[in-house]
Amino acid sequence: MTPPAGPPPRRVELRRVRLPLRHPHITATGTEADRDVVIVRVDEADGAVGWGECSALSAPTYTSEWTDGAWLVLRDHLVPAVLAGRPSGVRGHPMATAAVETARLDAFCRRAGRSLAGHLGAARREVLSCTVVGLGRSVDEVLARVDGAPGPVKIKIAPGWDLEPLAAARAAWPDRFIAADANGTYDLDDPDHARALLALDDLGLAYLEQPTDPADLTAAATAAGRLATPVALDEALDAPGTVRTALALHAAGVVNLKPARLGGPRAALEAASLAAAAGVAVFVGGMLETGVGRAAALAVASVLPGDLPTDLGPSDRYFAHDIVVPAVGAASSAAHVCVPCGSGLGVDVDLERLAACTTDVVELAR
Ligand SMILES: [Mg+2]
């Protein structure tokens, strides 16, 4: 994959955008009712325009990045460095970094008249999609959400809310793809937590995602050693380097490759290569992206080997009215999602809709 080359961009626009979610997204670490993201527009020196999204959440509860912080990092560090044509020197902040990289990749691909998916080496035009079911208030509520989902499902769990909903779902759908995601909330030093995880091992889960503290890869390795269910890592992986460490520790049986969380499409593909070399399965997870980030993540998903479903779904699963046209859509079945195949990201930003959702804007120029 050729990185964007040439002179620095002429200008970069940052837009803070707030888009209501159809349903609040409830996990063990918090609730998101709206998506409050930063959309980056890059105008290259030759006039090519590209778009990227910083998909950090509104509070630093999933990883340490959050929208307010990302806005400042982009405005005061990353974008000035890009405009000056110098390395940023910024450590961390992969989601903010990914936004700029994706915008420049989009411009690069649009200039070349090809899709980002094609540029990355897309092997598929649609991918199987897993519906993520948030923490429910009752087993009946969880079962209703699973019943309404078109295909594979991933159910959010937390200590004290795990075996009951998962066992009920498994009993109702003995052969269905069911995974679980604990968002890092189990402490193996707590005997109740350790027992609770072991109790999930007979449910035939496709994988158990991020059972333990993302900051402690040895805990994930211990969980992976105790469980027959593959342990997937999500929050713990914030760069290809942490993927390499996790693989060396045998802490991951599955790698959740979120391009935003890893620093962009190139970092995600580098992480995918590391996982492939270790014989570890991968899939692209979701960050409740708007259509801009969703299209970029689907381009990465279209390249990956294996048959694990992505967490990415069609736009209308999340938003009544996305900021891109056409909206990212379902494919040959409601359980599949189409990989946008137009130029660049494969979708265009709806400028009117974008303006209507904008809560702050700043323009930086050379
Ligand atoms: Mg997760």
Side-chain angles (χ1 to χ4, degrees), residues 117-132:
H119 176 63
L120 299 180
R124 324 168 190 224
R125 303 186 67 161
E126 61 179 51
V127 288
L128 184 61
S129 168
C130 178
T131 302
V132 180

Side-chain angles (χ1 to χ4, degrees), residues 156 181 183 209 234-235 258:
K156 296 284 189 182
D181 186 0
N183 287 105
E209 185 165 306
D234 177 1
E235 289 94 320
K258 294 183 179 174

Side-chain angles (χ1 to χ4, degrees), residues 25 27 62 132 154 156 180-184 207 209-210 232-235 256 258 261 283 285-286 311:
H25 186 70
T27 73
Y62 163 71
V132 180
K154 173 154 55 187
K156 296 284 189 182
D181 186 0
N183 287 105
Y207 56 79
E209 185 165 306
Q210 200 64 61
L233 291 187
D234 177 1
E235 289 94 320
N256 178 336
K258 294 183 179 174
R261 196 197 62 235
F283 69 94
D311 293 346

Side-chain angles (χ1 to χ4, degrees), residues 126-160:
E126 61 179 51
V127 288
L128 184 61
S129 168
C130 178
T131 302
V132 180
V133 175
L135 289 181
R137 284 165 299 215
S138 68
V139 168
D140 284 347
E141 183 183 330
V142 171
L143 293 181
R145 294 284 310 278
V146 175
D147 193 38
V153 292
K154 173 154 55 187
I155 299 173
K156 296 284 189 182
I157 61 169

Side-chain angles (χ1 to χ4, degrees), residues 198-363:
L198 282 175
L200 307 181
D201 218 13
D202 295 330
L203 296 175
L205 297 175
Y207 56 79
L208 173 60
E209 185 165 306
Q210 200 64 61
T212 49
D213 180 358
D216 185 357
L217 286 172
T218 64
T222 302
R226 289 181 187 173
L227 298 169
T229 306
V231 167
L233 291 187
D234 177 1
E235 289 94 320
L237 308 176
D238 59 1
T242 51
V243 174
R244 191 190 302 275
T245 307
L247 294 169
L249 291 171
H250 303 288
V254 175
V255 169
N256 178 336
L257 288 173
K258 294 183 179 174
R261 196 197 62 235
L262 289 161
R266 277 185 288 179
L269 292 185
E270 185 184 341
S273 297
L274 294 169
V280 167
V282 296
F283 69 94
V284 172
M287 288 291 305
L288 306 171
E289 292 93 342
T290 76
V292 173
R294 187 171 303 274
L298 277 166
V300 173
S302 74
V303 178
L304 298 183
D307 53 8
L308 284 177
T310 175
D311 293 346
L312 302 163
S315 290
D316 65 3
R317 190 181 292 170
Y318 305 90
F319 306 108
H321 190 173
D322 205 338
I323 58 169
V324 299
V325 284
V328 176
S332 58
S333 80
H336 288 77
V337 61
C338 235
V339 178
C341 59
S343 202
L345 292 175
V347 293
D348 289 316
V349 172
D350 178 341
L351 296 177
E352 211 170 294
R353 175 69 177 148
L354 182 69
C357 299
T358 297
T359 58
D360 200 357
V361 60
V362 63
E363 180 185 338

Side-chain angles (χ1 to χ4, degrees), residues 13-15 17 37-41 51-53 290 323 354:
E13 183 181 276
L14 305 177
R15 274 180 186 269
V17 164
V37 300
V38 183
I39 299 294
V40 176
R41 170 181 167 150
W51 298 88
E53 172 178 333
T290 76
I323 58 169
L354 182 69

